[in-house]
């Protein structure tokens, strides 16, 4: 799949933002007044900034409000609803907490759940795709949620929760790769099933429909070289592991925390770029691009 | 509403006969022509006269080479037209966040309402067959409409009230009809010839069916007349050729 920058920026930043908001609405860290305001402002900047970024890949963004209509069937529509509901609920909790020093605990729990539900709905957009076997696995949901909650914990200075969640995210990331590498073969889709000609024998593309490119090839048959893949996987693992080590060995000061967040974000960006670039869509079978 | 209808009154679709498609691309051209001049945003071309021309098509012809399992049998070429299969369980419809993508209850045609399409591209991801292409100029998703503006169009002569690709096919490899009616000519063809689905493992239940190539003639009992004459005459030549052979070996 084509790794579109707007979608990568959206899912990484929004994931981190909603993760932070999920901790803040639980009353963690235990701060108030302008410090709490700053925490919420960072959470909102990340979550809303990501959402705005996601509209840049639309062909006709002026009609984006229509995306709220199909929540019964579409995970993208559910994501639109959940993101607005969680931002509004979080906003009410934050206003009372910051300006009136009043903590509506049940409202905070609901807001926290809604933030995580938003990240889950984002992950379902990918995990529901039967056409991309690498994505259609529970580790896709788990990875999005753990990176969100773990990154949020890192920003919210929840040291213990952060390293446990980030370690779990790293483990799920490695499982996601090892399962993903064989997912296409296990899915059972081949050039033979795609053409229905398997009863005769082995099928290969003889001539493409056209000599140039097309939307399908640009969007869904993007391929990454093996050499780059291994390097990026190494970068991902190192950048995901480093903050965990930092969190365990020393209590973080502000500067060390900033370094940990930047390194963590680098790792998540590399992971998310690979998430798209490595994903193989079955339509490639019609173009002689079996993985 | 992008929930799928529980069932459709009719199932309009195509039968594509892989035995007789000659891969001429006439259906590609007529499809592009009709759908550029009629319903919805035109099918644009980008950089049409430049170094990397690219355009939107709703129907494309692939050609595959099939090597039979028996190694002594020669490979065969199969021309393979591909357009929207108007699936009963269309994954492109349910993922649409705006309701632009829908399947009609009355005839099962899968359509895009372009005035509500935001161009997110999710439906093209959900389609295993590459049937949907985002138009680079209009920013909306384009797909086969089964020529919905021809098949019910009473301004056209009756023989033209079928999809442009079917009407134009010079070898009669494409047929249009109602698959919900077991007596229709398309249903009959599927029964007689063993019509099949593409990628059935994905559970999309396509309406369009493909007919397999008929078995090739075996030519087993035909006496080999020319073969012996074309066999190599002599592996150890004598005379002048023998001298030449030995001399060349020495050099």
């Amino acid at each position: 799949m084509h790794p579109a920058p707007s979608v990568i920026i959206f899912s990484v930043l929004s994931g981190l933002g909603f993760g932070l908001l999920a901790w803040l609405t639980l009353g963690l860290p235990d701060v108030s007044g302008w410090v709490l305001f700053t925490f919420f402002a960072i959470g909102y900047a990340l979550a809303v900034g990501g959402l705005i970024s996601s509209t840049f890949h639309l062909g006709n963004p002026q009609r984006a409000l229509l995306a709220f209509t199909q929540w019964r069937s579409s995970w993208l529509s559910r994501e639109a609803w959940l993101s607005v509901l969680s931002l509004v609920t979080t906003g009410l909790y934050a206003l009372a907490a910051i300006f009136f020093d009043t903590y509506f605990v049940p409202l905070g729990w609901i807001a926290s759940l809604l933030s995580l539900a938003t990240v889950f709905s984002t992950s379902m957009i990918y995990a529901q795709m039967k056409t991309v076997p690498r994505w259609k696995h529970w580790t896709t949901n788990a990875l999005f949620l753990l990176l969100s909650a773990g990154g949020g914990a890192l920003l919210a200075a929840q040291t213990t929760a952060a390293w446990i969640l980030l370690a779990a995210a790293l483990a799920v990331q490695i499982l996601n790769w090892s399962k993903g590498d064989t997912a296409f073969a296990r899915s059972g889709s081949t050039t033979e099933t795609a053409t229905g000609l398997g009863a005769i024998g082995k099928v290969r593309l003889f001539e493409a429909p056209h000599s140039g490119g097309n939307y399908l090839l640009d969007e869904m048959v993007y391929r990454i070289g093996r050499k780059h893949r291994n390097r990026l996987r190494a970068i991902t693992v190192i950048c995901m592991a480093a903050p965990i080590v930092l969190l365990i060995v020393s209590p973080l000061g502000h500067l060390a925390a900033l370094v940990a967040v930047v390194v963590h974000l680098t790792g998540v960006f590399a992971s998310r770029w690979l998430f798209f670039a490595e994903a193989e869509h079955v339509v490639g079978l019609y173009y002689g691009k079996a993985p | 509403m992008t929930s799928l209808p529980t069932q459709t009154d009719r199932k309009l679709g195509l039968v594509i006969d892989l035995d007789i498609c000659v891969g001429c691309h006439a259906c590609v051209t007529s499809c592009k022509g009709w759908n550029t001049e009629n319903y919805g945003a035109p099918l644009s071309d980008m950089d049409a006269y430049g170094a990397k021309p690219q355009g939107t098509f709703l129907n494309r012809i692939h050609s595959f080479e099939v090597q039979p399992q028996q190694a002594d049998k020669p490979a065969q070429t199969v021309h393979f037209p591909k357009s929207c299969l108007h699936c009963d369980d269309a994954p492109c419809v349910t993922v649409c966040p705006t309701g632009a993508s829908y399947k009609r209850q009355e005839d099962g045609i899968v359509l895009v309402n372009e005035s509500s399409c935001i161009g997110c591209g999710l439906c093209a991801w959900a389609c295993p067959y590459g049937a949907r292409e985002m138009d680079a100029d209009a920013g909306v998703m384009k797909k086969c409409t089964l020529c919905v503006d021809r098949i019910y169009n009473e301004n056209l002569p009756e023989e033209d009230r079928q999809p442009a690709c079917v009407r134009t096919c010079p070898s009669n490899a494409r047929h249009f009809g109602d698959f919900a009616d077991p007596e229709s000519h398309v249903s009959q063809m599927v029964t007689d010839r063993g019509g099949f689905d593409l990628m059935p493992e994905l559970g999309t239940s396509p309406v369009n069916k493909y007919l397999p190539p008929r078995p090739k003639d075996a030519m087993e009992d035909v006496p080999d007349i020319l073969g012996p004459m074309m066999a190599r005459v002599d592996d150890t030549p004598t005379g002048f050729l023998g001298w030449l052979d030995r001399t060349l070996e020495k050099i």
Side-chain angles (χ1 to χ4, degrees), chain A residues 144-156:
Chain A
F144 274 63
L145 282 169
L146 285 170
L147 285 175
S148 171
L154 188 61
L155 283 184

Side-chain angles (χ1 to χ4, degrees), chain A residues 143 146-147 149-151 153 159-175 237 240-245 247-248 264:
Chain A
L143 186 61
L146 285 170
L147 285 175
T159 313
T160 313
W163 79 256
I164 292 172
L165 287 166
L166 291 177
L170 181 57
V172 169
Q173 171 72 83
I174 289 164
L175 183 63
V237 170
M240 279 183 160
I244 302 171
V245 178
L247 284 165
I248 294 175
H264 167 74

Side-chain angles (χ1 to χ4, degrees), chain A residues 249-267:
Chain A
V249 296
S250 70
L252 294 187
H254 271 94
L255 188 66
L258 184 68
V259 171
V261 169
V262 169
V263 172
H264 167 74
L265 260 183
T266 310

Side-chain angles (χ1 to χ4, degrees), chain A residues 113-135:
Chain A
L113 274 177
L114 283 170
S115 288
L116 290 180
T118 307
V119 177
F120 178 76
S121 65
T122 306
S123 71
M124 274 311 287
I125 291 172
Y126 307 107
Q128 70 177 331
M129 288 287 162
K130 282 185 188 170
T131 50
V132 186
R134 186 184 281 277
W135 287 352

